[in-house]
């Protein structure tokens, strides 16, 4: 079993479930931090001391407070950790059950498990730790497995997500090209945007743009 684990979560109540799951394994060293910046520092320090962490369990959302933070989300933390410590195992432990976000973390960031927080998640987290340690593949909470099998969300990319988000914010198709370019998007001509919107309507079987945005929200894509 893992001998050194780092848990990142800013809500004490969440750590009760985490502790309950971890205590089953009698792991020698388990450290808890509430800020992503602190987590990265702990990981770096452990590496320098030649006593690296083997598993990172992190929430995805962190509330802003009086303290200025460089890393403000679990996604950002995971991306940094993957670059610096590619061998560490990572479990995302979050209330967020949106299929697109989960797929992105599993596929693009190659995390090892995604556990959705709910009333009885200690047992799921325990199972995730076991699966990750043994190396039996990725663990995903049963509550979101069906949503992850939906092909429509696997066929859209970051550009599509940004396009849907801007549509949901009321940006018209005429304004979309300038808006997306201002956000750093490339190759987003008016004709390509129209084609993307048509493709998204087909994927989501939407009757119009308003219907498209509503479906995307219902599915947790935006």
């Amino acid at each position: 079993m893992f001998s050194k684990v780092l848990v990142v979560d800013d809500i004490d109540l969440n750590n009760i479930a985490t502790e309950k799951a971890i205590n089953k394994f009698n792991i020698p060293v388990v450290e808890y931090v509430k800020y992503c910046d602190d987590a990265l520092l702990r990981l770096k320090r452990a590496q320098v001391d030649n006593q690296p962490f083997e598993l990172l369990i992190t929430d995805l959302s962190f509330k802003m407070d009086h303290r200025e933070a460089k890393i403000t989300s679990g996604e950002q933390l995971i991306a940094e950790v993957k670059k610096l410590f590619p061998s560490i195992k990572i479990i995302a432990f979050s209330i967020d059950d949106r299929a697109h976000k989960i797929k992105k973390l599993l596929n693009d960031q190659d995390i090892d498990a995604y556990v959705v927080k709910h009333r009885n998640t200690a047992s799921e987290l325990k199972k995730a730790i076991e699966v990750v340690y043994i190396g039996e593949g990725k663990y995903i909470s049963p509550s979101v497995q069906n949503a992850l099998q939906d092909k429509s969300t696997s066929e859209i990319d970051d550009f599509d997500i940004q396009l849907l988000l801007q549509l949901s914010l009321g940006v018209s198709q005429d304004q979309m090209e300038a808006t997306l370019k201002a956000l750093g998007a490339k190759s987003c001509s008016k004709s390509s945007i129209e084609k993307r919107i048509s493709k998204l309507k087909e994927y989501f079987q939407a009757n119009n743009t308003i219907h498209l945005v509503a479906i995307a929200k219902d599915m947790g894509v935006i």
Side-chain angles (χ1 to χ4, degrees):
M1 180 45 64
F2 296 110
S3 60
K4 194 171 184 180
V5 176
L6 180 63
V7 179
V8 192
D9 199 318
D10 60 352
I11 306 297
D12 290 333
L13 186 61
N14 293 335
N15 285 333
I16 294 175
T18 310
E19 288 178 12
K20 184 178 179 181
I22 292 176
N23 288 343
K24 300 285 185 180
F25 300 108
N26 296 315
I27 296 171
V29 179
V30 182
E31 297 184 16
Y32 295 83
V33 295
K34 294 185 177 183
Y35 296 92
C36 294
D37 290 342
D38 290 349
L40 194 59
L41 288 174
R42 293 278 184 100
L43 291 164
K44 289 179 177 178
R45 180 66 191 182
Q47 192 74 20
V48 170
D49 293 340
N50 199 28
Q51 296 178 332
F53 286 94
E54 299 164 336
L55 173 65
L56 170 68
I57 301 174
T58 182
D59 195 357
L60 298 181
S61 59
F62 292 82
K63 292 185 178 180
M64 299 296 292
D65 59 15
H66 63 281
R67 176 172 166 175
E68 185 177 351
K70 293 181 180 179
I71 304 175
T72 58
S73 71
E75 293 98 321
Q76 288 179 305
L77 175 62
I78 289 169
E80 287 296 317
V81 170
K82 278 292 182 179
K83 286 190 293 185
L84 296 172
F85 314 105
S87 64
I88 192 172
K89 301 296 184 181
I90 299 178
I91 297 175
F93 185 40
S94 172
I95 196 171
D96 195 331
D97 61 358
R98 289 179 292 176
H100 178 263
K101 176 172 283 191
I102 298 171
K103 285 180 179 179
K104 187 174 180 63
L105 286 167
L106 289 168
N107 299 330
D108 296 353
Q109 296 294 347
D110 195 28
I111 65 170
D112 300 280
Y114 196 102
V115 178
V116 178
K117 293 179 180 179
H118 53 79
R119 288 184 178 179
N120 301 306
T121 47
S123 60
E124 280 191 27
L125 185 57
K126 178 178 176 291
K127 179 63 176 178
I129 294 171
E130 291 174 338
V131 170
V132 171
Y133 178 73
I134 296 171
E136 293 182 340
K138 297 179 185 291
Y139 178 87
I140 305 167
S141 284
S143 61
V144 294
Q145 283 181 353
N146 289 337
L148 293 180
Q149 292 172 359
D150 187 341
K151 292 183 178 180
S152 63
T153 56
S154 66
E155 294 174 340
I156 60 176
D157 56 24
D158 290 340
F159 182 86
D160 294 319
I161 300 302
Q162 186 60 247
L163 178 55
L164 287 167
L165 178 60
Q166 295 307 316
L167 287 171
S168 73
L169 294 174
V171 177
S172 68
Q173 290 189 41
D174 291 334
Q175 300 170 319
M176 192 63 71
E177 180 179 357
T179 300
L180 292 176
K181 284 182 177 178
L183 292 170
K186 298 177 181 179
S187 303
C188 56
S189 64
K190 185 175 180 179
S191 61
S192 67
I193 290 170
E194 290 175 350
K195 289 178 181 178
R196 289 281 189 136
I197 292 175
S198 295
K199 182 194 79 170
L200 289 168
K201 286 178 182 176
E202 183 179 345
Y203 280 164
F204 291 107
Q205 299 181 347
N207 298 323
N208 51 50
T209 303
I210 294 174
H211 190 205
L212 172 63
V213 171
I215 293 172
K217 285 184 175 180
D218 287 344
M219 293 182 66
V221 175
I222 55 174

